[in-house]
Amino acid sequence: MAVWLFSSKNVDNIRRGFERLIWGFWDRDAGRRQRENWRNFIRLFNRIQPFDVIVFQIAQTGDIHGLGGVKRTYYDDQTPVWDIELKEHKVLFPWRVKLSFMIFSEKPVVSRFIDIQDYVDGYGIGSFPQHEVYSILSAFASSSSVMYRVDYG
């Protein structure tokens, strides 16, 4: 089992991922940073496996709002999910990860920046130190504002 960090620019995106039990990443043609970091992203994306754990964090603040489990990864879902996609009427994040469960809090359960050696800027993905997950789980357990969703299918 691997642990991954998925970063977002806001809690709204994490909430939408929680509602749909899904996460998405930019396509290579989304912007300059995405083209420059495409290979590094693909290298990590292809390593994501079912039963891996994901920590959801706000990139600029280090606020952690979610923890989830990978159900499957797949390519090129053309269903608009996130607010910016709905507003622009096009899919911007087609590289998807389906979640089997997610624990979510509107309020950050912990705020911390952890050195991620292979973090891919522009995609917001990196491998997360497994030993750090235990303190995050403890923070979720002691939080009074936690919600969870499970995909039973």
Side-chain angles (χ1 to χ4, degrees):
M1 173 193 77
V3 182
W4 302 97
L5 176 70
F6 289 1
S7 294
S8 177
K9 68 178 185 175
N10 61 50
V11 72
D12 296 331
N13 291 338
I14 299 173
R15 181 184 317 104
R16 187 59 55 95
F18 169 72
E19 293 167 356
R20 302 277 185 106
L21 289 177
I22 199 167
W23 195 252
F25 294 97
W26 294 102
D27 195 24
R28 176 180 60 190
D29 298 327
R32 195 176 122 232
R33 236 187 334 176
Q34 284 72 19
R35 283 189 298 274
E36 291 172 359
N37 292 331
W38 178 250
R39 285 186 177 197
N40 292 333
F41 163 70
I42 287 298
R43 182 178 53 80
L44 290 181
F45 185 83
N46 286 334
R47 288 179 31 211
I48 299 170
Q49 298 294 317
F51 306 108
D52 284 355
V53 173
I54 302 163
V55 175
F56 295 90
Q57 179 183 55
I58 304 299
Q60 299 299 316
T61 64
D63 293 346
I64 294 174
H65 288 270
L67 190 80
V70 174
K71 182 172 185 174
R72 72 176 194 255
T73 62
Y74 55 105
Y75 171 72
D76 200 12
D77 184 346
Q78 292 300 311
T79 306
V81 172
W82 286 269
D83 292 342
I84 190 170
E85 292 178 327
L86 297 170
K87 180 181 173 187
E88 294 186 17
H89 304 289
K90 66 180 182 178
V91 174
L92 302 171
F93 309 101
W95 290 77
R96 303 281 172 88
V97 174
K98 179 72 176 151
L99 305 175
S100 57
F101 76 91
M102 187 168 169
I103 304 165
F104 171 73
S105 175
E106 291 283 343
K107 300 176 192 173
V109 294
V110 68
S111 186
R112 92 173 42 144
F113 286 107
I114 297 170
D115 186 28
I116 307 293
Q117 297 296 323
D118 59 359
Y119 185 79
V120 181
D121 196 29
Y123 284 95
I125 183 175
S127 56
F128 193 85
Q130 194 167 3
H131 67 276
E132 293 284 348
V133 173
Y134 302 110
S135 64
I136 293 168
L137 277 170
S138 294
F140 272 106
S142 64
S143 175
S144 61
S145 62
V146 172
M147 299 178 281
Y148 70 92
R149 291 183 60 89
V150 177
D151 180 353
Y152 294 103

